[in-house]
Amino acid sequence: MFPSFVPPRQVKIGDAAAFVGTTPRAIRHYHEIGLLPEPVRGGDGRRRYGYEDMIRLLWIRRMADAGIALDAIRDAFADTAQADSDTDTVAVTDTDTDADTDDGIADTLERLAESLLAREAELRRQRTAVQRMRTEGSRAGLLSDLVTSRLKGLPEGSLRQADLDSLLVTERIFGPLGAAVQAGRFIALATHPGLRRESDRVDAAEEALDDTVAVDDPRVAQVAAERHAFEKALHTAIEDSGLAEGDDALFDLWDTSHPASADEDEDEGEDEDGTGRSSGREHETMSAFEAIGKMPYDFSPARLRCMELAEELAAHESTAS
């Protein structure tokens, strides 16, 4: 995060829809059927969406993309259980045409064949996604292969829901490679209980810097120093455990499986992501900076200042070394 950039604490429905990759109409439908609770409204009477709302919207979108019915997703959230999925049946309907020539009929049949092939491909993608959810878990299975492959072998229960939420957001903004690199952080925390406890302590200290704390309160600088010290310890643990070398291998693997081309230079949205699907489907030509600007984080001014100070400490130390 750039020190001068202040992310929104809440966003309007249009920005929420753009970030998630859906439409305001779809989000309103989620409210109508009870899939998404009604958010707070601003002074102008319009809905405002915060961090937790966006997390839920991202999971809804991923589950819906996997072919899970909205009612099933709603029940899954209500029961805090894994969602059951049903295999959709492709229904082929009669196609009327006013074509008066054989060429017109041939064109209609060709379009129908292309439509069926596309729907069959979508069903295969959905079946693959559902199988991954059953194998990896209902949430982890919705992340890309590149990310979940890095998380294999972790002790049961060591990966938290907040970790998966963070990986989901990172993958949406920076793609599978960015999330796979971030996964190294959670691997280190999962395998170093002391670091996990310190992470929880620093996180709690940052959360305590709420709107009641002034930006020049001494606690802000103190927590920033604690965050900086923790990040140094975490970086050392990542280096000592060989996870950093794993990051290098990830970049090499990505470069090999995603060779750059002229078309990609012109339109990065056409690159394939770690799931084998076009990243245009996921990112919809939205840049990382645009995506960050549409993702709300409920950070107080004091907490934002704390983050800036921690970044300044890291930059100063890097320059000195």
Side-chain angles (χ1 to χ4, degrees), residues 8-32 36-42 44-50 53-54 57-58 61 172 284 286 293-296:
R9 301 182 70 174
Q10 292 179 325
V11 296
K12 296 179 181 179
I13 192 170
D15 286 338
F19 181 86
V20 174
T22 186
T23 64
R25 181 179 179 181
I27 293 179
R28 293 189 189 99
H29 180 61
Y30 297 159
H31 292 311
E32 291 172 358
L36 182 69
E38 279 282 346
V40 298
R41 291 179 181 264
D44 57 359
R46 296 183 178 180
R47 296 179 177 92
R48 294 291 191 275
Y49 296 83
D53 297 315
M54 300 294 278
L57 279 169
L58 283 170
R61 178 66 192 272
R172 174 57 180 160
E284 297 172 338
M286 192 191 311
K294 295 181 184 298
M295 181 64 191

Side-chain angles (χ1 to χ4, degrees), residues 245-260:
E245 297 176 3
D247 289 345
D248 294 337
L250 276 176
F251 283 105
D252 292 340
L253 175 63
W254 185 265
D255 291 340
T256 301
S257 58
H258 298 78

Side-chain angles (χ1 to χ4, degrees), residues 40-301:
V40 298
R41 291 179 181 264
D44 57 359
R46 296 183 178 180
R47 296 179 177 92
R48 294 291 191 275
Y49 296 83
Y51 180 82
E52 294 300 329
D53 297 315
M54 300 294 278
I55 290 294
R56 185 154 179 150
L57 279 169
L58 283 170
W59 285 127
I60 291 171
R61 178 66 192 272
R62 290 295 180 95
M63 290 182 181
D65 281 350
I68 301 174
L70 295 181
D71 288 344
I73 299 175
R74 180 183 57 201
D75 293 341
F77 279 123
D79 300 335
T80 62
Q82 293 184 357
D84 295 327
S85 58
D86 299 321
T87 302
D88 294 334
T89 302
V90 176
V92 181
T93 59
D94 293 335
T95 303
D96 295 328
T97 178
D98 295 328
D100 295 328
T101 64
D102 289 344
D103 288 342
I105 295 174
D107 289 342
T108 300
L109 292 175
E110 183 176 356
R111 287 196 298 271
L112 178 58
E114 291 174 353
S115 176
L116 289 174
L117 284 174
R119 293 167 73 179
E120 289 172 1
E122 181 68 6
L123 279 177
R124 287 195 296 271
R125 186 190 65 77
Q126 290 178 357
R127 291 192 189 100
T128 299
V130 169
Q131 183 58 42
R132 291 191 71 247
M133 291 172 66
R134 296 176 65 185
T135 302
E136 306 291 346
S138 60
R139 297 295 179 91
L142 289 171
L143 298 169
S144 68
D145 287 328
L146 193 66
V147 179
T148 54
S149 64
R150 269 208 109 181
L151 301 174
K152 289 185 182 298
L154 287 179
E156 185 176 356
S158 61
L159 197 64
R160 300 178 179 179
Q161 181 60 52
D163 300 339
L164 292 173
D165 291 342
S166 182
L167 289 170
L168 177 72
V169 173
T170 299
E171 186 172 325
R172 174 57 180 160
I173 297 175
F174 298 106
L177 181 59
V181 172
Q182 187 193 34
R185 177 184 186 90
F186 299 124
I187 295 172
L189 291 176
T191 52
H192 294 76
L195 280 176
R196 174 65 88 174
R197 288 191 295 271
E198 181 63 9
S199 175
D200 290 342
R201 189 191 68 78
V202 176
D203 287 346
E206 287 182 339
E207 291 174 4
L209 300 176
D210 56 22
D211 288 315
T212 65
V213 180
V215 293
D216 57 353
D217 189 296
R219 287 174 291 176
V220 176
Q222 178 183 343
V223 176
E226 293 173 358
R227 168 59 67 184
H228 175 59
F230 167 74
E231 294 297 334
K232 284 182 59 179
L234 179 61
H235 178 73
T236 299
I238 290 174
E239 291 283 346
D240 292 344
S241 63
L243 287 170
E245 297 176 3
D247 289 345
D248 294 337
L250 276 176
F251 283 105
D252 292 340
L253 175 63
W254 185 265
D255 291 340
T256 301
S257 58
H258 298 78
S261 67
D263 291 340
E264 289 173 348
D265 291 338
E266 294 175 2
D267 186 2
E268 295 181 358
E270 295 300 321
D271 296 347
E272 283 190 347
D273 62 19
T275 63
R277 289 175 282 157
S278 169
S279 62
R281 174 186 177 89
E282 291 293 312
H283 297 280
E284 297 172 338
T285 69
M286 192 191 311
S287 70
F289 186 80
E290 289 173 325
I292 292 172
K294 295 181 184 298
M295 181 64 191
Y297 292 89
D298 192 15
F299 295 157
S300 68

